[in-house]
Amino acid sequence: MKATWWKVLAVALLAYTLIAGLLADVPRLPILNETVRALYFHVSMWFSMVIMLTVGVVYSIKYLRNGRLEDDDMALEFTNGAILFGVIGIATGSLWAKFTWGAYWTNDPKLNAAAIGLLMYFAYLILRNSLTDIFQRAKISAVYSIFAYAAFIPLIFILPRLTDSLHPGNGGNPGFNAYDMDSQLRMVFYPAVIGWALLGTWVSTLRVRYRRLARKMEEKMINQ
Amino acid sequence: MLDEIIALIRKEATLEWRQKYALNGILLYVVSAVYITYLSIGVKGGTVQVPTWNALYWIIILFSAVNAVAKSFIQENQGRQLYYYMIASPEAIIISKIVYNTGLTLLLSLLGYIVFSVVLGNPVQDQPMFMLNLVLSAVGFSACLTMVSSIAGKAGNNGTLMAILSFPILIPMLLLAIQISKNAIDGLDRGVSLDKIVTLLAINGIVGATSYLLFPFLWKS
């Protein structure tokens, strides 16, 4: 029971995000208008995704160093959680784009980077499933996950900055030079990121515990 | 270490030379692919648009490189791998494979370039820039593909796995290479491509370094 405070915090932060995110005042920005609220539900998805992927990679490195399957469970489930956030991020972004840009998908570097990132991690899941030996699977997927992470970070942080983009946050479009975040937005945005990341951690740790229990049961069955 | 790498590269080249079918096969693959493209777009004596030329060229190079490098860990059977495991360090093995595959990819790109120029015309205005771009992307492609092929090799060597694992990782390099190559074709001022070349170099560095660090873990298993 000692480890529940952060779960309470997650629920509180998310409740705050929902209420303040939908009801609080937001600055009037041209074109964006009320849709700037997507910041709390869409942009925070990507932040949580990157945070969870980083946790996954740290556990992958840990696995390579000491070969404990517990670390592999953490790496897998955090990556799974990150993929879930990525899919939600794409879906929310797509809805938002429909209302602001008029299309669900545009050829924009940020969108492409997000899609490529998801392709990478879907490939990671397929790679895992194609291996049967559990130690082999843990080791090889840890190697791929580190490799993919090393390729993914430049993809999302460097490439979009090389080209102009319609996406808020960069590009030369004056009406879209938004997210020069004022304090009003920040008040909700940072708690939202922390809240979503904690929720993701909660989901992932639950799945890790399930996984460990399942392994224990299996071992019991074999040893009977 | 250096002697070891040179010996291993020489071994790769000798093996390739002895089994010429693999090398010839991949060379013919490039030529056929270019020819199929040429026939498919149905150019009747006219020329294709520059962006189309560029995109087709790079897609063909991408697919040929994936096919050429995919065999680098398949060719060798278990017994021989065990033998290398005993006599060579994993670092020397991955470096020698990357260097050798860079040469192979470069050869493929040059051949593709020649055939492309013959059948579809050669719009490139800034040749040295185009060549530099070919060399840089050959290094990046081979570093990434060698690593991925060793991963796919552990997982039963199927071609699908090789493609799905490598494509997303290659896309940033491919996009940069296409942009630089477009600038070189249009003969733009070299300053325009400078930051892209630096980014490409940086990505090559990242991919090369991670391959070097991670390969020993794969090799041990």
Side-chain angles (χ1 to χ4, degrees):
Chain A
M1 280 299 110
K2 62 185 189 318
T4 45
W5 63 269
W6 59 272
K7 293 175 184 167
V8 177
L9 182 66
V11 172
L13 283 175
L14 287 181
Y16 169 69
T17 307
L18 276 179
I19 295 165
L22 294 175
L23 298 180
D25 254 357
V26 288
R28 304 285 123 190
L29 295 165
I31 310 179
L32 288 175
N33 294 326
E34 284 290 334
T35 67
V36 75
R37 293 178 198 279
L39 178 73
Y40 313 136
F41 304 100
H42 164 68
V43 184
S44 50
M45 287 297 144
W46 297 116
F47 276 71
S48 323
M49 173 182 166
V50 172
I51 293 171
M52 290 174 67
L53 281 181
T54 312
V55 175
V57 165
V58 169
Y59 276 98
S60 293
I61 295 173
K62 270 179 123 170
Y63 178 79
L64 285 185
R65 306 202 106 189
N66 57 29
R68 288 170 54 233
L69 279 179
E70 281 77 13
D71 290 334
D72 180 53
D73 292 337
M74 293 291 273
L76 169 65
E77 291 307 343
F78 270 91
T79 311
N80 265 337
I83 292 173
L84 175 69
F85 276 82
V87 171
I88 299 173
I90 286 236
T92 49
S94 201
L95 278 176
W96 176 85
K98 179 67 184 166
F99 289 101
T100 7
W101 298 339
Y104 285 113
W105 192 261
T106 57
N107 187 10
D108 182 274
K110 280 204 171 173
L111 274 64
N112 287 336
I116 297 165
L118 280 183
L119 284 183
M120 259 178 213
Y121 284 96
F122 285 140
Y124 166 81
L125 293 182
I126 291 177
L127 174 68
R128 274 193 84 90
N129 287 334
S130 74
L131 293 156
T132 42
D133 179 84
I134 47 169
F135 289 98
Q136 182 96 337
R137 175 197 289 166
K139 178 174 270 183
I140 289 168
S141 45
V143 168
Y144 182 73
S145 134
I146 299 169
F147 194 57
Y149 185 80
F152 180 58
I153 292 304
L155 177 75
I156 52 170
F157 287 111
I158 301 170
L159 280 191
R161 282 167 182 67
L162 282 183
T163 24
D164 269 355
S165 159
L166 267 182
H167 198 286
N170 53 353
N173 198 329
F176 280 83
N177 231 344
Y179 290 8
D180 35 343
M181 302 232 283
D182 69 349
S183 52
Q184 243 172 343
L185 288 174
R186 280 210 188 95
M187 284 266 289
V188 186
F189 179 63
Y190 292 135
V193 170
I194 300 172
W196 289 117
L198 284 178
L199 182 72
T201 314
W202 192 353
V203 172
S204 305
T205 43
L206 274 181
R207 295 199 35 126
V208 167
R209 281 160 65 191
Y210 166 73
R211 207 162 254 285
R212 287 177 186 165
L213 280 178
R215 187 179 305 121
K216 231 176 230 171
M217 293 289 282
E218 213 169 86
E219 273 166 12
K220 220 183 222 171
M221 296 248 286
I222 294 170
N223 292 335
Q224 243 171 16
Chain B
M1 180 78 170
L2 197 62
D3 291 344
E4 213 176 332
I5 293 171
I6 292 171
L8 282 167
I9 294 175
R10 190 170 293 151
K11 173 227 90 181
E12 293 278 338
T14 322
L15 274 184
E16 192 85 82
W17 193 246
R18 283 198 193 136
Q19 317 180 318
K20 287 196 199 65
Y21 79 94
L23 182 63
N24 290 339
I26 199 71
L27 293 180
L28 194 57
Y29 183 99
V30 175
V31 176
S32 327
V34 175
Y35 209 71
I36 285 178
T37 323
Y38 167 64
L39 292 178
S40 309
I41 50 179
V43 211
K44 293 184 184 121
T47 47
V48 281
Q49 299 281 315
V50 166
T52 321
W53 191 99
N54 200 15
L56 288 174
Y57 175 73
W58 281 102
I59 288 173
I60 289 175
I61 297 307
L62 173 70
F63 276 82
S64 329
V66 169
N67 275 301
V69 181
K71 67 177 176 44
S72 58
F73 284 87
I74 298 172
Q75 210 179 42
E76 288 156 354
N77 58 28
Q78 289 281 310
R80 203 189 279 162
Q81 292 217 356
L82 196 64
Y83 176 58
Y84 296 145
Y85 182 69
M86 289 189 290
I87 60 167
S89 71
E91 285 85 4
I93 289 179
I94 186 75
I95 292 177
S96 67
K97 291 249 188 210
I98 288 178
V99 172
Y100 177 75
N101 285 330
T102 304
L104 191 61
T105 313
L106 199 58
L107 180 69
L108 292 179
S109 329
L110 287 177
L111 178 72
Y113 183 42
I114 293 168
V115 183
F116 242 75
S117 311
V118 172
V119 297
L120 285 169
N122 183 349
V124 180
Q125 294 181 27
D126 190 349
Q127 297 287 352
M129 192 67 182
F130 193 81
M131 288 302 156
L132 175 69
N133 184 28
L134 280 191
V135 173
L136 286 182
S137 42
V139 175
F141 281 20
S142 79
C144 173
L145 287 170
T146 309
M147 187 62 193
V148 171
S149 92
S150 77
I151 293 176
K154 294 283 178 199
N157 277 327
N158 67 57
T160 323
L161 205 54
M162 176 80 194
I164 58 168
L165 292 180
S166 60
F167 284 172
I169 298 180
L170 283 175
I171 289 173
M173 286 178 219
L174 185 72
L175 290 181
L176 282 169
I178 287 179
Q179 285 175 355
I180 299 170
S181 137
K182 176 76 172 52
N183 292 349
I185 291 175
D186 292 341
L188 295 186
D189 186 56
R190 286 179 191 173
V192 179
S193 323
L194 191 66
D195 59 339
K196 286 176 183 136
I197 288 185
V198 172
T199 317
L200 187 55
L201 267 177
I203 295 184
N204 284 355
I206 293 173
V207 170
T210 29
S211 306
Y212 178 82
L213 289 175
L214 291 174
F215 184 72
F217 291 103
L218 278 180
W219 191 236
K220 269 190 262 169
S221 63

